[in-house]
Amino acid sequence: MSRHFVLAAGGTGGHMVPAAALAAELTRRGHRVALVSDARGVRFPGLFKDIQTHVLPAGRFAGGPIGWAKATREMWRGRAMARELYRTFRPAAVIGFGGYPAMPALLAAFADKIPTAIHEQNAVLGRVNRLVAGKVDAIATSYDKTERLAAKHAAKTHLIGNPVRDAVLTLRTKAYPLLEEDGIFRVLVTGGSQGASILSDVVPDGLAMLPVTFRRRLQVTHQARVEDIDAVRAKYAEHQIPAELATYLPDLPEQLAWAHLVIARAGASTLAELTAAGRPAILVPLPSATDDHQTANAREITLAGGARTIAQKDFTAVELAKQMQKLGLDPAALQNAAGRARSCGRPDAASDLADLVESLDAPRVKLPVGRAKPVLAGAGA
């Protein structure tokens, strides 16, 4: 039966990419999907082109008592708007992907007795997901071990993985790009949807320290922040390293397809894409990430031998050059690392998550005043 689903997610790539992957899978199954997010999320490039979108107010609990009071008012205003949406859209379930913009939609679902699920992309349960974990009907996780997830929720927790876009998933069927000892060595540098200045500061100088025979083989694609991009471009030119620079990579799957090595942050979507495609990496977790979740994210692929993790405080040009030589000068070892990265992937995550949300019971929907009883949302509602 065709049903309606609401996906609620914060406006960063880590939340939006898996939400988009689920939206695509549910749409393929004949369902109708609506997205609830903030202004950033509904404008995220290329992800929700044909999906109904709604911006709801959602305060962030920061700034002391005054900030908390303001955030609470915004949350309740967003909750009221979400309940109004549900009266017309009549969702079979509401699925939260974390981030404060997901909270009003979930609060409205609790009030209207609509089934709910949350998806956690990171190896540490996020703040919003922790707040609602006790009330939702199902919890989907991306890692076998998820820190900050209470043991009492084990019965409703399902290991799903982190959904990725179809364009990334298709890379799983393709071989690791041929790497000859004297051939081009392609490096992809990405800090995720928000970029990473530390990569811009260190990577060009680190690559410049490689032996000249290795350095001359390099072909780099580097995603940099807007405020960093000119300086990074100048550094690569100074070191005579061919490099393409961009502030956003809409063709990231294509870039991954030909990359021999990725240098990146350890965000949830980045790790999901690396393991789906099977690409070895040097990872530099963001130290200020909530609960240090990026270090936790990197643990599985690093222990498997698919990546090397360098703490940001230790990420210097010298250390990068040393790790690059260990990986890049042995094509067989690099290909082996690619296979180990691939072994950590969960390619059925979008399908499995869709199965989970489809399994939630049909909700009782509150109708406008004047109707005696709520009714079940039917097919095509």
Side-chain angles (χ1 to χ4, degrees), residues 11 66 121 168 214 223 301:
I66 294 177
Q121 302 87 49
V168 174
F214 189 4
Q223 178 224 352
I301 188 175

Side-chain angles (χ1 to χ4, degrees), residues 111-379:
D112 288 350
K113 304 296 189 292
I114 298 171
T116 53
I118 53 174
H119 178 270
E120 178 56 57
Q121 302 87 49
N122 294 297
V124 181
L125 198 67
R127 288 177 179 173
V128 168
N129 282 347
R130 289 203 297 268
L131 287 172
V132 301
K135 297 200 69 174
V136 298
D137 299 291
I139 300 171
T141 61
S142 299
Y143 292 88
D144 186 48
K145 179 182 178 183
T146 303
E147 299 174 19
R148 306 295 292 270
L149 176 59
K152 63 184 178 182
H153 301 320
K156 62 179 178 181
T157 298
H158 308 263
L159 176 59
I160 295 292
N162 195 6
V164 299
R165 293 168 284 180
D166 290 341
V168 174
L169 200 56
T170 59
L171 299 180
R172 198 169 178 84
T173 64
K174 299 179 180 180
Y176 180 74
L178 180 65
L179 179 60
E180 299 176 350
E181 290 191 6
D182 58 350
I184 294 175
F185 190 99
R186 298 183 178 90
V187 179
L188 173 61
V189 184
T190 174
S193 62
Q194 300 183 69
S197 291
I198 186 67
L199 301 183
S200 296
D201 293 340
V202 172
V203 172
D205 292 338
L207 298 183
M209 298 179 70
L210 294 171
V212 65
T213 53
F214 189 4
R215 189 170 70 244
R216 286 175 177 170
R217 297 168 52 204
L218 295 176
Q219 177 72 52
V220 180
T221 296
H222 189 131
Q223 178 224 352
R225 291 175 182 263
V226 173
E227 59 268 30
D228 298 334
I229 196 166
D230 289 338
V232 178
R233 184 177 286 111
K235 276 189 176 185
Y236 280 120
E238 177 187 346
H239 299 316
Q240 298 183 322
I241 297 173
E244 295 181 9
L245 279 293
T247 57
Y248 179 70
L249 297 173
D251 60 342
L252 182 61
E254 182 180 337
Q255 301 291 346
L256 268 178
W258 58 251
H260 294 109
L261 179 69
V262 179
I263 303 172
R265 284 297 198 194
S269 288
T270 297
L271 268 293
E273 290 172 344
L274 289 173
T275 56
R279 292 297 181 270
I282 293 174
L283 301 173
V284 186
L286 175 67
S288 61
T290 306
D291 300 314
D292 197 23
H293 67 252
Q294 288 204 1
T295 297
N297 291 349
R299 192 170 295 134
E300 182 180 58
I301 188 175
T302 301
L303 290 174
R308 294 170 184 256
T309 297
I310 306 174
Q312 183 164 306
K313 64 182 178 60
D314 301 321
F315 187 60
T316 63
V318 172
E319 182 62 21
L320 175 60
K322 182 171 69 175
Q323 296 299 334
M324 282 284 296
Q325 289 186 77
K326 288 180 179 179
L327 282 168
L329 293 178
D330 185 348
L334 197 64
Q335 187 153 2
N336 180 58
R340 291 174 178 270
R342 188 179 185 279
S343 73
C344 296
R346 294 182 172 89
D348 298 325
S351 177
D352 289 347
L353 184 56
D355 288 345
L356 177 63
V357 301
E358 281 184 330
S359 73
L360 299 173
D361 291 336
R364 290 190 173 274
V365 179
K366 290 189 176 181
L367 299 179
V369 175
R371 293 291 292 273
K373 295 180 180 179
V375 296
L376 291 178

Side-chain angles (χ1 to χ4, degrees), residues 45-56:
L47 292 184
F48 294 92
K49 182 180 178 182
D50 299 317
I51 299 296
Q52 177 181 333
T53 58
H54 302 269
V55 176
L56 297 184

Side-chain angles (χ1 to χ4, degrees), residues 1-7 22-34 50-52 89-93 95 350-351 353-360 377-381:
M1 294 188 300
S2 176
R3 285 180 281 169
H4 294 184
F5 294 95
V6 169
L7 311 187
L22 177 61
E25 178 63 23
L26 290 173
T27 300
R28 273 194 294 270
R29 298 183 182 196
H31 302 302
R32 187 176 170 195
V33 177
D50 299 317
I51 299 296
Q52 177 181 333
F89 191 73
R90 302 178 72 186
I95 302 91
S351 177
L353 184 56
D355 288 345
L356 177 63
V357 301
E358 281 184 330
S359 73
L360 299 173

